[in-house]
Amino acid sequence: MKLHSVRTRKSADHLPRTEQLAWKIAEVAADPVAVEPEVVEMIGNRIIDNAAVAAASLARRPVASARAQAAAHPFQPGATVFGLPLERRVSPEWAAWANGVAVRELDFHDTYLAADYSHPGDNIPPILAVAQHCGLGGAALVRGLATGYEIQVDLVTGICLHEHKIDHIAHLGPSAAAGIGAALGLAPEIIYQAVQQALHVTTTTRQSRKGEISSWKAFAPAFAGKMAVEAVDRVMRGEGAPSPAWEGEDGFVAWMLGGPNAEYRVPLPARGEPKRAILDTYTKEHSAEYQSQALIDLARRMGPVLRERTPDLSKVRSIVIHTSHHTHYVIGTGANDPQKMDPKASRETLDHSIMYIFAVALEDGGWHHERSYAPERAARPATVALWHKIATVEDPEWTRRYHSRDPKEKAFGARVVIALEDGSTIEDEIAVADAHPLGRRPFARPQYVGKFRALADGIITQAEQDRFLELIDRLPTLTPDELGSLSFAVEPSRLGPVPRRGIFDRS
């Protein structure tokens, strides 16, 4: 890997393209280096993971709304939409939109955390949609997805967005554009312009994940994917983009990030170096924000110990979670969001309240993607009482480990101290989630398949599940026709209530 300096340059400096981050990203995307077998295996795992989460979310209102919008844009050849018949195709940018929302709605797929946050599996819907529409085979899809993951992970490693209140989809637009360019085998010049265009139109604020969090949290990554498809199409037609997008005097770094004196260092593979970043990412066993994964596991471990001490959890005086800066200020009491303590808060808000999540996991001994968020569950008096006794504090050591570049030391956990009314305490800590590659039960292909089977049960027929998984087993060798069926269909009754009509439904 090579580290690249990214800082603002005055227009009069005439920064050469070859020194711009967008060009360096384009060169990585256009590099025809082979995709290693273990990367291919993990790409298949993440396609399975996305499909699992999409199956569980099909009937939810945001997913139905996005699917209805996509269905209003039929197109041939087009791309598939989760849940609809495989022969029913829509324009690829709208397939990316609908499938992106389905994948993100439950906050239940993969993650990478470094200088910023990301869900790199969000690259899959737009790149797959373009591959289906353009008649690509499995090898091209794998090449595109390896690139999308690589670029997003590298940007997230080098550039922090959240401290400037920019939403993390500003890294996703460029990575998806680069992945699409790699899948299509486009020239660096085209990818360069598309990456910049995608950055320009996907820079939004972090209010998406602050205060009363709405369904836009799931739509935001889908929007970035849709914009990436449109950016590549526009540039293929000969159009350009704001340049240099990152380094320009009125550009991203100067006015959205650290300012004209800031410098970022972004790692990127050297020419001929394999794209392996997907192997640094990790998925979720629980449907909750990633920084709560390890704490859910810790809660189910501490629960029996606590009950041995006192079966009556009303005897808990306080619970303090000593954790990283990110966890404390994003999903903890450091965020100063009263909504995180509100029993009537939206699912999206509860998903970003570690106080709520830890209370429920401690009481229930686990987590469920639907039951744990049910309004009646959140309103349970005993839960509310316990929930409101929980606070987070930043621990510098957990912050240091969060940002460590040593994978054996990097951690997303916490130390929890439960104080009882009798003056005694119970303490325990956890560094990484059980499902993490360094956790107690790391996810591999059997666990991904198990997650898919569990979430698809009663929604996707057994035969359809088997057909989908068999395609994944042959992913790099899929023909264009086979890749075109890399989705799943369900009975219409599984798609939930018909959503409200909108502009696109007018005939």
Side-chain angles (χ1 to χ4, degrees):
M1 299 290 282
K2 295 176 62 177
L3 281 175
H4 300 274
S5 173
V6 184
R7 62 182 178 86
T8 301
R9 304 296 184 92
K10 293 183 178 181
S11 298
D13 290 346
H14 302 294
L15 182 65
R17 283 186 175 181
T18 55
E19 296 182 21
Q20 297 174 25
L21 179 60
W23 183 266
K24 294 170 182 178
I25 289 172
E27 287 186 315
V28 172
D31 187 356
V33 61
V35 181
E36 295 180 332
E38 61 183 325
V39 173
V40 174
E41 173 82 2
M42 189 58 74
I43 288 172
N45 289 343
R46 300 306 170 77
I47 296 175
I48 294 171
D49 203 43
N50 274 13
V53 181
S57 70
L58 280 181
R60 294 181 61 82
R61 192 199 70 250
V63 178
S65 294
R67 187 171 56 241
Q69 288 180 304
H73 295 81
F75 203 76
Q76 291 292 328
T80 58
V81 173
F82 285 129
L84 297 183
L86 299 180
E87 65 275 9
R88 188 173 180 183
R89 303 300 183 97
V90 304
S91 193
E93 79 279 18
W94 283 102
W97 169 257
N99 293 337
V101 175
V103 164
R104 281 294 288 128
E105 166 65 10
L106 293 178
D107 206 343
F108 203 1
H109 70 328
D110 69 11
T111 302
Y112 176 73
L113 303 172
D116 210 79
Y117 320 98
S118 67
H119 296 281
D122 294 332
N123 286 278
I124 295 175
I127 297 172
L128 175 57
V130 170
Q132 290 183 329
H133 171 66
C134 293
L136 305 183
L141 175 66
V142 164
R143 186 167 57 249
L145 292 178
T147 299
Y149 268 84
E150 182 67 52
I151 299 306
Q152 185 165 24
V153 166
D154 294 342
L155 288 172
V156 170
T157 298
I159 299 177
C160 180
L161 302 174
H162 76 270
E163 67 178 344
H164 303 290
K165 311 310 177 186
I166 301 298
D167 198 22
H168 60 65
I169 69 167
H171 287 330
L172 174 61
S175 67
I180 292 168
L184 292 174
L186 299 179
E189 166 66 23
I190 296 176
I191 302 173
Y192 160 74
Q193 297 287 3
V195 163
Q196 295 187 110
Q197 181 67 29
L199 171 69
H200 193 68
V201 298
T202 58
T203 300
T204 61
T205 73
R206 271 195 64 81
Q207 193 61 38
S208 296
R209 295 155 219 288
K210 180 73 172 174
E212 185 176 345
I213 303 175
S214 75
S215 61
W216 180 251
K217 184 168 74 74
F219 281 90
F223 173 77
K226 183 173 183 287
M227 291 298 99
V229 177
E230 294 181 358
V232 176
D233 178 84
R234 179 178 174 275
V235 175
M236 288 176 69
R237 298 175 188 275
E239 305 306 324
S243 302
W246 275 275
E247 301 92 346
E249 193 168 5
D250 286 345
F252 194 52
V253 171
W255 289 99
M256 302 295 181
L257 300 183
N261 297 320
E263 180 182 11
Y264 297 91
R265 296 178 68 80
V266 177
L268 290 170
R271 183 169 181 81
E273 184 178 357
K275 301 176 179 71
R276 296 173 52 84
I278 191 173
L279 301 178
D280 294 330
T281 66
Y282 19 82
T283 195
K284 297 179 178 181
E285 182 179 359
H286 315 294
S287 177
E289 207 276 352
Y290 191 81
Q291 292 165 104
S292 65
Q293 298 295 300
L295 280 160
I296 291 173
D297 293 333
L298 184 59
R300 63 184 179 184
R301 190 167 81 198
M302 294 184 77
V305 177
L306 175 60
R307 282 185 170 79
E308 282 185 9
R309 192 79 64 84
T310 173
D312 183 1
L313 297 191
S314 69
K315 301 299 183 182
V316 171
R317 187 177 70 221
S318 67
I319 298 177
V320 180
I321 300 172
H322 301 260
T323 188
S324 68
H325 177 279
H326 280 40
T327 303
H328 174 53
Y329 284 103
V330 175
I331 62 173
T333 48
N336 292 316
D337 290 341
Q339 296 88 349
K340 286 180 168 47
M341 294 296 199
D342 183 1
K344 296 181 181 179
S346 66
R347 176 200 165 98
E348 291 84 359
T349 302
L350 296 177
D351 167 54
H352 276 55
S353 171
I354 191 57
M355 294 71 68
Y356 173 75
I357 291 169
F358 194 82
V360 172
L362 194 64
E363 288 183 325
D364 295 354
W367 195 257
H368 189 270
H369 68 279
E370 290 180 334
R371 294 192 297 271
S372 296
Y373 290 108
E376 59 273 18
R377 183 68 192 82
R380 190 180 299 175
T383 299
V384 175
L386 182 63
W387 172 9
H388 289 182
K389 295 176 182 178
I390 301 176
T392 64
V393 296
E394 181 185 359
D395 183 320
E397 177 62 12
W398 286 108
T399 297
R400 186 192 67 78
R401 292 190 65 182
Y402 185 104
H403 291 290
S404 174
R405 292 183 178 272
D406 181 352
K408 294 181 180 179
E409 188 179 51
K410 192 175 184 67
F412 312 106
R415 177 173 63 91
V416 173
V417 179
I418 302 176
L420 302 179
E421 288 184 351
D422 64 7
S424 64
T425 61
I426 301 170
E427 297 186 28
D428 200 353
E429 66 177 52
I430 190 170
V432 295
D434 291 347
H436 186 275
L438 298 178
R440 298 171 64 188
R441 294 178 284 98
F443 263 42
R445 180 60 61 90
Q447 285 72 38
Y448 285 98
V449 171
K451 181 177 175 180
F452 175 74
R453 296 286 195 190
L455 295 181
D457 185 44
I459 299 171
I460 306 174
T461 65
Q462 183 74 31
E464 184 71 345
Q465 292 180 37
D466 293 344
R467 183 195 64 80
F468 177 81
L469 292 173
E470 192 276 331
L471 290 175
I472 298 295
D473 288 340
R474 297 187 292 109
L475 185 62
T477 62
L478 292 182
T479 66
D481 284 345
E482 290 172 327
L483 184 61
S485 65
L486 190 59
S487 183
F488 60 79
V490 302
E491 292 294 323
S493 61
R494 299 298 181 188
L495 296 177
V498 176
R500 296 178 184 176
R501 292 174 62 83
I503 292 172
F504 298 135
D505 298 304
R506 308 297 176 184
S507 58

